[in-house]
Amino acid sequence: MGERKVLNKYIPPNFDPQLVPRSKKPKDDLIPVRMMLPFSIQCATCSSFLYRGRKFNSKKEPVRGIDGKYLGIQRFRFYIKCSECSRPITFLTDPKNADYEMESGGTRNYEVWHDERETNQRFEEEAEEEEKMDGMKALENRVLESQREMAEMDALEEIRAMNARHVGLMKGKVGAALGLEA
């Protein structure tokens, strides 16, 4: 029983570590990865949908060339196969937007949150242009902003006063518990 719990192995005196075979580097730098799809895809060949969260055996490779890095962050290309027609589908990491971009083999499905960001940005730009064009609108917005700031300051002062009262009460209770007069 004790021979199974060996902590160190016997190394013969004629052992040469150079003769131990090393693991080979993957062909073409393709690394097999088990991953879940980060977004929904529609295959370009058979029009079947591959939904977000579906597990795939994929191949990962670093992107080469000019587009290979963004601010020193390596971009990767993933290869998967459609589960219906076995057509290869590829997509890339996009560190600039913290997302992925579709490369070939399918189309990325519509996602509401992409549209929401663009809509909010467009709305803010329109509001800024409107303020530049209309002096009264800019004045109204400044007045509303100052009123909001004053309300926030009043609420903050109220919270500070309540905290000061609470600290005073706590000192009194602690002093009374210790037999001291506050």
Side-chain angles (χ1 to χ4, degrees), residues 121-131:
Q121 186 177 8
R122 197 175 324 124
F123 179 73
E124 290 172 3
E125 290 172 358
E126 288 174 2
E128 288 176 11
E129 280 185 32
E130 190 175 315
E131 281 185 12

Side-chain angles (χ1 to χ4, degrees), residues 8 16 25 33 38-39 69 79-80 95 105 107 129 147 149 166 172:
N8 52 2
D16 186 12
K25 198 170 186 182
V33 176
F39 52 88
K69 290 195 177 193
Y79 297 94
I80 63 171
T107 56
E129 280 185 32
Q147 286 176 349
E149 286 179 10
H166 184 67

Side-chain angles (χ1 to χ4, degrees), residues 33-52:
V33 176
R34 178 88 171 156
M35 69 176 298
M36 297 174 94
L37 276 180
F39 52 88
S40 296
I41 301 171
Q42 184 176 13
C43 179
T45 304
C46 64
S47 299
S48 64
F49 289 92
L50 307 172
Y51 293 103
R52 180 177 183 225

Side-chain angles (χ1 to χ4, degrees), residues 6-181:
V6 177
L7 297 176
N8 52 2
K9 307 281 187 211
Y10 173 72
I11 300 173
N14 60 351
F15 176 73
D16 186 12
Q18 301 293 332
L19 299 176
V20 175
R22 296 281 177 206
S23 61
K24 295 180 181 175
K25 198 170 186 182
K27 191 165 63 173
D28 300 332
D29 284 341
L30 292 176
I31 303 165
V33 176
R34 178 88 171 156
M35 69 176 298
M36 297 174 94
L37 276 180
F39 52 88
S40 296
I41 301 171
Q42 184 176 13
C43 179
T45 304
C46 64
S47 299
S48 64
F49 289 92
L50 307 172
Y51 293 103
R52 180 177 183 225
R54 170 109 186 240
K55 289 186 179 179
F56 276 94
N57 291 324
S58 64
K59 301 281 187 188
K60 176 179 90 168
E61 76 171 352
V63 177
R64 307 239 185 264
I66 298 171
D67 297 331
K69 290 195 177 193
Y70 172 76
L71 297 177
I73 300 170
Q74 180 66 50
R75 296 182 70 197
F76 291 99
R77 176 178 288 115
F78 294 93
Y79 297 94
I80 63 171
K81 288 187 179 179
C82 175
S83 53
E84 304 256 340
C85 65
S86 298
R87 178 186 179 162
I89 299 171
T90 61
F91 55 92
L92 302 165
T93 56
D94 184 12
K96 181 179 182 181
N97 299 319
D99 198 16
Y100 294 87
E101 61 184 62
M102 197 66 204
E103 189 175 34
S104 67
T107 56
R108 187 172 182 164
N109 292 351
Y110 174 75
E111 291 170 334
V112 175
W113 55 275
H114 279 299
D115 203 27
E116 181 183 5
R117 261 195 239 147
E118 293 172 5
T119 305
N120 288 343
Q121 186 177 8
R122 197 175 324 124
F123 179 73
E124 290 172 3
E125 290 172 358
E126 288 174 2
E128 288 176 11
E129 280 185 32
E130 190 175 315
E131 281 185 12
K132 288 179 183 176
M133 300 301 276
D134 188 8
M136 286 303 288
K137 188 68 173 177
L139 181 62
E140 287 174 6
N141 288 341
R142 276 186 289 182
V143 168
L144 290 173
E145 182 68 25
S146 64
Q147 286 176 349
R148 188 186 60 78
E149 286 179 10
M150 292 297 287
E152 286 178 358
M153 292 298 287
D154 290 341
L156 186 61
E157 287 298 320
E158 189 175 322
I159 291 171
R160 284 183 180 157
M162 287 175 57
N163 285 344
R165 268 185 276 156
H166 184 67
V167 167
L169 288 174
M170 291 303 291
K171 284 182 182 177
K173 286 181 182 178
V174 170
L178 294 175
L180 303 171
E181 303 238 354

